[in-house]
Amino acid sequence: MKRKLIVQKYGGSSVAHSERIKRVAQRVIATKHQGADVVVVVSALGDTTDELLQLASQVSQSPSERELDMLMATGEQVSVALLAMAIHAFGEDAVSFTGAQVGILTDGTHTKARLVKINTHRIVEELHKGRIVIVAGFQGVNLNQDITTLGRGGSDLTAVALAKSLAADVCEIFTDVEGVYTADPRLVPQARKLDAISYDEMLELASLGAQVMQARSIFVAKRFQIPIHVRSSFSAREGTMITHSVGAMEDIVVSGVSLQKDEAKVTIRDVPDKPGMAAQIFRELASHGLNVDMIVQNVSREGSTDLSFTVVKTDLVATLRVTRQVSHRIGTGEVTTDEGVAKVSIVGIGMRSHSGVAARMFEAMARERINIEMISTSEIKISCLIRKQHAERAVRTLHQAFGLGKRR
Ligand code: ADP
Ligand code: ASP
Ligand code: MG
């Protein structure tokens, strides 16, 4: 019978210091002793990636993205080596690799590279020798042999992609909470752990701010139907299964609430109210690789309108530069920015077949006297842009309004 193959990923907090690294080592060894081949993906220790970025910002206002990748990738190189040593110290065989060493090939887009291919032969060779294979998460290498990284939270993507390439039986994501909850458990004490969630809902929750899984990793998992088990590295309890279909949930309208605080609003005043204006503005932004999220255009008065949209804060400087250029060209009023906003969202497949969900959301916000500045919807989510100071209260309010804390 074919041996079972398990891919396990341990996040930064799970390997934050030496005692935790030793515990991870024991857990990995225990998995191996249960008769499985184990490939482990590890993130950088604790907040290392943030600290490295902080250092970069101290030496340069706009560090080169290639060099940022060189810098950030060092974090994961430290953790794989330490985990291998810890496993050796417990008498088990293990070998650590960087992304480049195991042939995780990406395109050239530094700091958010896309996976092109994974050459698994080195990993398979080492597994055949009976070793535990430890791979640095979050990193790869491009055709020029330059080190790339896969976007923040990218170790999740490394794990899912390895699970796909190695045809693993399961992909386990070990983190500092017991699974995927109805809302961030740090924000909402009543949040409830979900036993299972669909790829579609997890993808929305992750894209809308639930950092427990990187959104891109869920996209890949859905595409290749890789089941993911999100669970705690500090307990043996079952976590949350992210899978294709989650049965018998017809009556559940909303599965989760999420919060995103990293967006900023840009407003262009007095845009001439004639065909082609929005097209010019958003074409220009797109051609600079700037992704716009929510968009609102006010009603026209005296031949012009105000246009507002949101972008992630890290794109704000570039967005302003481009927007000011177009606005000058087409002759609009001033361009202003607002970083005091937050986006709260509700997500649920049940919205497809229920009406009145938006009304319930807006009523809940109204009861709390929270003003909604922008709204966007899709088939399975509704998002509202509000003032940042109300963000946490809004999440708790929505969590309660949709009865998410109750057992069902
Ligand atoms: P890791 O270092 O293991 O990758 P992350 O910090 O990236 O961990 O993700 C885990 C964190 O995600 C949790 O500590 C929790 O605060 C946060 N989180 C946000 N939304 C959710 C949610 N819906 N369910 C679970 N955790 C969530
Ligand atoms: N260390 C990287 C980050 O903090 C990747 C990860 O943890 O998944 O974003
Ligand atoms: Mg993470």
Side-chain angles (χ1 to χ4, degrees), residues 33 127 193 239 244 303 305 316 327 379 383:
H33 287 177
L127 290 173
K193 190 189 83 188
H244 215 266
T305 77
L316 186 58
S327 101
E379 209 187 7
S383 302

Side-chain angles (χ1 to χ4, degrees), residues 2 69 76 88 124 130 196 221 230 233 288 296 351 387 393:
K2 187 178 160 277
D69 277 350
E76 272 69 12
H88 296 161
V124 172
V230 183
S233 59
H288 285 81
V296 164
M351 284 185 207
R387 284 291 104 203
R393 189 158 53 92

Side-chain angles (χ1 to χ4, degrees), residues 9-14 43 156 174-177 179-186 205 209-213 257:
K9 176 255 173 178
Y10 292 89
S13 48
S14 308
S43 295
D156 296 334
F174 288 89
T175 184
D176 58 356
V177 287
V180 179
Y181 284 67
T182 48
D184 186 341
R186 289 179 210 287
L205 279 177
Q211 68 162 3
V212 60
M213 287 296 300
V257 183

